[in-house]
Amino acid sequence: MRRTLRVILVLVVVLVVLVLVAPFLIPVNQFRPTIEEKASTALGRKVDVGNLSLSLFTGSLAADNLAIADDPKFSKAPFLTAKSIKVGVELVPLILHKDLNITSIVIDGPEVTLLRNPGGEWNYSSFGASAAKSQGKQATPAQQTPPPQQAEKSSSGGEFSVDKLELRNGRIVIGSTNSQKRSTYDKVDLTASNVSLTSKFPVTLTANLPGGGNLKLDGTAGPLDQENTALTPVNAKLTVNGLNLASTGLLDPSAGLGGILDLNATIASQSGEAVVSGNAKLSKALLVAGGSPAAVPVVVDFNTKYDLRKNRGVLEPSTLKIGNAPAHLSGTYEVPADSDAVVVHIKVEGQNLPAKDLEAFLPALGIHMPSGASLQAGTLNANLELSGPTNKLVTSGNVGMFNAKLAGFDLGSKLAAVSKLVGVNTGKDLDIEKMTTDLRMAPTGLEAKNFQAVVPSLGTLVGNGTIDAKNDLDFKMAATLKNGVASAAAGAAGGAATGAASDAIGGLLGKVTGGAGSAVSTAAGGFLGNCKNASGGSGPTLPFQIKGTTKDPKFIPDVGGVAAGMLKSQLGCFGGGGAQSKASPQQQQPNPNNPMDAIGGLFKKKKP
């Protein structure tokens, strides 16, 4: 028994010694030229491998560094570098016959640089393409998908194939040849099995995204395209979680713009065309300087076709939802080689969208509800076009809101700051029958033209204005009042606003113009004329301005007639479009009983 135990111990010791000593006895560095040659032939790039060592425990060769050259048209720096690489081999053929049969490749800590030139070509487009072409000519249809055992054995021949390929804890740097700006993806892990240049093989890729978040691509790739590696067929599921759009260059971070994107999509590419469909959710969107992140996400169910050769695509009819408000999308887009942003031409159409669902998204557009106010009813129609690069996106078109209720907003009390609108009572909640405008929105702010609103408790509002990057309002407006509202406003204004000031002006002018003085006083203290309103009626009209912010708007008098002058084309009552402007010269002679003509005549009189 003791003798048997001794024999076993001796054998164990011998085996341990062999395992420890054999790697030093086998000149594995002689295989380095073979490995470099096979890899260079397979990839179409020069491959340099450092000193090799053999591990019998793992059955692999290890190198202390690895470098794969880039396409010389793009860069003289390496395409891939790594501090270590392990190559799995069959030990028996290696030890007995010095045959190198590679079964697996594991690259630790690789750094890969992906570059795109102005023509849209990637530096990996020629990666392995020549080898795929030569092997594709030699392979018969029955040999296109060899079983694992055959693939393993074929690695000793001319065809490149391995059971397993891994990249662990890597880094991918993406940029263009005409820019120094780069995007970096860390903790990149790639696993592929039964890898062959001439057959389809499973692949899984995971990575951390710039600015936070992660992605996962899981599916199949191959066979390698024989002309352009970038056109290699792929069928996979793509999942993106928490992508910060500002960190990608899709939005302009210098303007404070941003958003968090979550994406679930399927990718099917063949013959240079990729079909991508799925859904995307944009949270905390901020699309205009001066705005704030939206409280509700935008969800897009999309379907698109992308031309991998021309780097442009078509967004087929898709759906955008904010809450329960759906809109329809369609258009085109392209990915320029010299920009991080995507250039889009997208149409957005929505009908009868619930206004209440859209309220929580308005801050992303620089529109904040007045303090204490909220949209409680109404629908929105939109016909918009998004055009330009996404980091300088311009949205233009027409929007309209109908039968809406802005709860907690007393327009009448706001208008009281305009002296001639003292006494207008619109109630604590503002009912809006109709509100339309031509809209232009850019990252720097928002512009509204041809603004029109019908407010049953007031009359009609028209105007133009802007909301700038600081959320400051600058609107030139005019209110055409309903007759009943006008009477109430005139009564209140006559007693409160005109008061002593109007009497003083009238008295002063009366001394120099006689009976016309009282008429001048009436014109100075009253409304400026009658205009047609949107409902077809007419009434007195008063221009005014809106300053402040969307959260705290300030209604102020139209000092100097700025608003009146700007709104001539919209209001014939201020001249430049009414019946009076078409009168004959005789009809336009000064009338001494007209207060405005009296003032004009006063200053035109010659000195005696």
Side-chain angles (χ1 to χ4, degrees):
M1 184 68 179
R2 293 181 178 177
R3 186 176 181 180
T4 303
L5 183 58
R6 289 177 182 176
V7 172
I8 294 175
L9 290 175
V10 170
L11 291 176
V12 171
V13 171
V14 171
L15 289 175
V16 171
V17 171
L18 286 176
V19 169
L20 295 176
V21 175
F24 298 98
L25 299 178
I26 301 174
V28 292
N29 256 324
Q30 69 178 334
F31 297 107
R32 188 168 65 174
T34 304
I35 293 175
E36 291 177 338
E37 180 183 359
K38 283 190 174 185
S40 298
T41 301
L43 301 178
R45 306 281 179 86
K46 180 176 174 54
V47 177
D48 292 317
V49 177
N51 290 323
L52 296 178
S53 61
L54 175 65
S55 172
L56 296 181
F57 285 109
T58 60
S60 63
L61 297 173
D64 52 14
N65 59 69
L66 170 68
I68 301 176
D70 203 346
D71 187 328
K73 295 186 300 183
F74 289 83
S75 174
K76 295 180 180 179
F79 171 80
L80 179 149
T81 59
K83 294 182 179 179
S84 66
I85 177 176
K86 292 182 180 180
V87 181
V89 296
E90 293 181 347
L91 289 177
V92 174
L94 177 67
I95 296 174
L96 298 181
H97 307 290
K98 296 184 180 180
D99 288 337
L100 182 63
N101 296 334
I102 298 173
T103 59
S104 65
I105 299 175
V106 179
I107 304 175
D108 284 318
E111 180 166 324
V112 181
T113 302
L114 303 181
L115 298 175
R116 191 175 176 214
N117 65 20
E121 182 183 4
W122 288 94
N123 62 339
Y124 65 87
S125 296
S126 60
F127 205 75
S130 59
K133 183 183 295 185
S134 62
Q135 292 179 23
K137 292 179 179 179
Q138 297 172 4
T140 62
Q143 295 173 326
Q144 290 296 313
T145 309
Q149 296 83 358
Q150 182 178 344
E152 180 179 336
K153 293 179 181 179
S154 65
S155 63
S156 61
E159 181 180 346
F160 174 83
S161 62
V162 294
D163 287 348
K164 189 176 184 180
L165 173 64
E166 282 190 74
L167 276 68
R168 296 176 179 172
N169 195 27
R171 170 179 291 183
I172 296 179
V173 179
I174 300 178
S176 62
T177 56
N178 56 349
S179 172
Q180 296 299 317
K181 188 175 180 180
R182 300 288 186 264
S183 297
T184 302
Y185 298 77
D186 289 316
K187 294 186 178 180
V188 178
D189 293 319
L190 182 145
T191 301
S193 56
N194 300 328
V195 179
S196 171
L197 301 182
T198 58
S199 64
K200 183 189 300 185
F201 54 89
V203 60
T204 299
L205 172 70
T206 61
N208 284 358
L209 299 170
N214 57 77
L215 69 79
K216 181 179 181 180
L217 182 74
D218 190 12
T220 62
L224 206 67
D225 189 275
Q226 298 181 7
E227 301 294 336
N228 186 340
T229 303
L231 305 182
T232 297
V234 174
N235 286 274
K237 180 179 180 181
L238 174 64
T239 303
V240 176
N241 296 311
L243 172 61
N244 187 333
L245 295 182
S247 66
T248 64
L250 292 174
L251 296 178
D252 185 3
S254 65
L257 309 186
I260 304 299
L261 178 69
D262 296 313
L263 175 71
N264 287 285
T266 58
I267 303 173
S269 67
Q270 187 75 34
S271 302
E273 181 181 76
V275 177
V276 184
S277 60
N279 64 82
K281 182 175 74 171
L282 178 61
S283 305
K284 300 180 180 180
L286 178 51
L287 306 179
V288 173
S292 58
V296 295
V298 177
V299 178
V300 180
D301 294 322
F302 65 90
N303 185 25
T304 177
K305 291 182 179 179
Y306 184 70
D307 190 321
L308 295 169
R309 292 184 176 89
K310 298 180 179 180
N311 297 299
R312 61 184 61 177
V314 176
L315 178 65
E316 298 189 331
S318 303
T319 303
L320 178 151
K321 286 186 179 180
I322 302 175
N324 294 318
H328 302 287
L329 306 175
S330 62
T332 62
Y333 61 95
E334 57 184 303
V335 185
D338 57 352
S339 173
D340 293 328
V342 177
V343 177
V344 302
H345 300 281
I346 305 293
K347 290 185 177 180
V348 181
E349 296 180 351
Q351 298 292 322
N352 300 318
L353 309 177
K356 187 175 181 179
D357 290 346
L358 299 173
E359 178 182 349
F361 188 77
L362 292 178
L365 309 178
I367 301 173
H368 302 272
M369 287 291 102
S371 297
S374 62
L375 280 170
Q376 295 297 319
T379 59
L380 186 79
N381 292 349
N383 189 349
L384 303 170
E385 182 170 347
L386 286 66
S387 59
T390 51
N391 58 359
K392 297 179 181 178
L393 191 64
V394 174
T395 301
S396 58
N398 181 268
V399 295
M401 187 166 61
F402 304 91
N403 302 317
K405 178 186 287 293
L406 185 59
F409 184 73
D410 186 351
L411 179 61
S413 65
K414 295 286 186 181
L415 290 172
V418 183
S419 60
K420 300 303 149 272
L421 292 177
V422 172
V424 173
N425 183 12
T426 59
K428 293 183 178 180
D429 299 334
L430 182 65
D431 291 322
I432 303 172
E433 179 181 321
K434 172 185 176 182
M435 184 173 71
T436 62
T437 186
D438 294 330
L439 187 71
R440 184 183 187 276
M441 183 179 69
T444 53
L446 182 149
E447 180 181 13
K449 290 185 177 180
N450 299 318
F451 177 93
Q452 295 186 6
V454 178
V455 179
S457 59
L458 178 69
T460 299
L461 299 173
V462 299
N464 305 309
T466 61
I467 306 174
D468 68 13
K470 296 182 179 180
N471 201 236
D472 291 333
L473 295 170
D474 184 13
F475 274 74
K476 311 299 187 295
M477 304 291 295
T480 300
L481 306 184
K482 296 170 61 175
N483 289 330
V485 176
S487 299
T498 58
S502 295
D503 291 343
I505 296 174
L508 176 63
L509 293 177
K511 293 181 179 180
V512 294
T513 61
S518 61
V520 173
S521 175
T522 301
F527 296 98
L528 295 183
N530 290 326
C531 296
K532 290 185 178 181
N533 57 38
S535 58
S538 63
T541 298
L542 181 74
F544 61 95
Q545 299 183 43
I546 305 178
K547 299 291 186 178
T549 65
T550 56
K551 194 172 184 179
D552 185 20
K554 305 292 185 182
F555 292 71
I556 63 175
D558 182 30
V559 179
V562 177
M566 292 186 64
L567 299 175
K568 283 182 179 180
S569 61
Q570 292 177 257
L571 296 169
C573 55
F574 297 122
Q580 292 179 350
S581 65
K582 298 178 182 179
S584 64
Q586 291 78 8
Q587 292 174 316
Q588 294 181 0
Q589 292 297 320
N591 181 357
N593 294 322
N594 184 300
M596 295 305 174
D597 289 345
I599 293 176
L602 173 66
F603 292 104
K604 288 181 180 179
K605 289 182 179 179
K606 297 181 180 180
K607 294 182 179 180

